Amino acid sequence: MKRLQGKNILLGVTGGIAAYKSAELTHRLRDAGAEVRVAMTRAATEFVTPLTFQALSGHPVHTQLLDENAEAGMGHIELARWADAVLIAPASADFIAKLAHGRADDLLSTLCLATRTPLAFAPAMNQAMWHDPATQANCGTLCQRGLLQFGPASGEQACGETGEGRMLEVPELITRLADCFEQGELQAVKVMITAGPTSEPIDPVRFIGNRSSGRMGFALAEAAREAGAAVTLISGPCHLATPERVQRIDVETAEQMHRAVFEQLPQCDIFIAAAAVADYRPLDLHAQKLKKDHANLSLALTRNPDILSDVAHAPNSPFVVGFAAETVNLEINAREKLVRKNLDMIAANLVGLHKNEKQDIGFNSEYNALQVFWAGGAASLELDRKSALARRLIQLITTHYQQHKNDEKNPA
Ligand code: C5P
């Protein structure tokens, strides 16, 4: 695992039976070429002795916040600065709650507040504790702040129950940690992507929706992450699993999506609008289920905000990429949108059957083919699975984004 070679890893061990696996983790991290220092909570020392970690890491273990010897050598601030990444494994429900509240009443929680490096945590607890809304909310808070959540896995638990909450196995933890040191072309670039349909309520049980599956947006999120970006995915209702290490924010309506996008906009370098946003929503939300009293029923609709256009026209707008699903005159319509919405690039596809392959493409399909346009150029991304296509599109966006950055630095 070359990516961990020479990296300084601070391993935080909290109180849980999975702490015994962290002994093996220490050993494997060193095998992978990392330098490891271990900090334990008091509860962790009840499960495994500091001596075990001292022997395996080759360094004294840190357990006390106010430790004269440690402060004279490597104190807690130095330790926080020394680390290239911090991994809390296992992370108990209690420790996760503490982190979520920014407490600093022991060495490990203080280190977590003091560090500026990537901070990952591997939850490990009983399945009921894991599913408790408090734990779920705390993990959500941490992920929103940019912490990386590794796991948990499912299976048999030490308490005899079966379910989600087991700490990830050591090889998986090592791979995830190594991924933090990925050197992609979008390293340190923040990418926000909208995906999926929106759902516009008519009454408590009915809504206006569309056939978007969210696959293209989710595939783009994964491809951008693989390229090293920090990715925020703002998704309408869909059943796709969140790609690893992508921050996901779920919304239902176009207005909620608009709000979520603008909340995240200050932290965005590239905005990609892959969502199929409903252009209209019912003017009135009926509080009670509509009765079928009439032969005909008309619903008054009102325009939704155009999220993409609003972002592209905002002051300090990021690099903006839109999508256009067209049924006719693809290039003319896409280029018109590129200009009208003030976009840097637009990826357009003809929805329906692909001409050569008899393959249903676009909405709710695994496949797509895209024509990409920008002021002065175009590229054709031939029919492919959305995952492969997403990688090619991210590559193209990266090239143009870097060009755009250079032009900003060196105006002609
Ligand atoms: O104008 P049209 O709906 O064809 O534009 C499609 C593009 O605009 C897509 O990128 C879509 O995500 C975005 N869009 C949006 N907000 C809307 C409508 C479309 O962000 N209300």
Side-chain angles (χ1 to χ4, degrees), residues 246-408:
V246 163
Q247 181 198 353
R248 172 171 174 176
I249 299 173
D250 283 319
V251 296
E252 296 212 333
T253 65
E255 285 185 303
Q256 289 169 0
M257 188 175 273
H258 191 276
R259 217 170 302 130
V261 164
F262 273 81
E263 271 169 22
Q264 301 295 320
L265 202 55
Q267 297 101 41
C268 173
D269 301 307
I270 300 177
F271 176 64
I272 307 175
V277 183
D279 292 322
Y280 293 89
R281 66 178 182 280
L283 186 58
D284 303 308
L285 170 58
H286 294 267
Q288 305 304 332
K289 189 178 165 201
L290 285 179
K291 297 280 177 212
K292 44 180 176 295
D293 295 338
H294 307 284
N296 299 311
L297 175 70
S298 299
L299 272 181
L301 301 179
T302 185
R303 276 290 287 271
N304 269 327
D306 190 315
I307 304 165
L308 176 61
S309 177
D310 287 357
V311 168
H313 285 98
N316 301 322
S317 66
F319 186 85
V320 180
V321 184
F323 269 76
E326 303 294 339
T327 48
V328 285
N329 298 335
L330 182 118
E331 176 155 8
I332 294 172
N333 289 337
R335 285 210 178 272
E336 183 274 323
K337 259 174 222 174
L338 182 74
V339 175
R340 176 167 49 87
K341 297 200 185 194
N342 197 30
L343 312 180
D344 293 291
M345 295 177 89
I346 190 156
N349 62 321
L350 272 181
V351 284
L353 275 191
H354 187 258
K355 57 184 185 319
N356 302 327
E357 313 286 334
K358 296 195 172 59
Q359 178 74 61
D360 197 10
I361 63 169
F363 271 40
N364 213 3
S365 159
E366 286 274 353
Y367 288 83
N368 209 351
L370 295 171
Q371 301 281 329
V372 188
F373 303 102
W374 57 92
S380 201
L381 304 183
E382 294 300 324
L383 182 75
D384 211 334
R385 286 192 168 275
K386 284 181 176 170
S387 50
L389 205 64
R391 279 189 216 109
R392 285 154 62 201
L393 182 56
I394 288 294
Q395 185 59 55
L396 195 62
I397 292 172
T398 304
T399 308
H400 284 263
Y401 168 72
Q402 285 168 345
Q403 179 72 49
H404 171 84
K405 283 267 141 214
N406 283 342
D407 292 349
E408 269 182 355

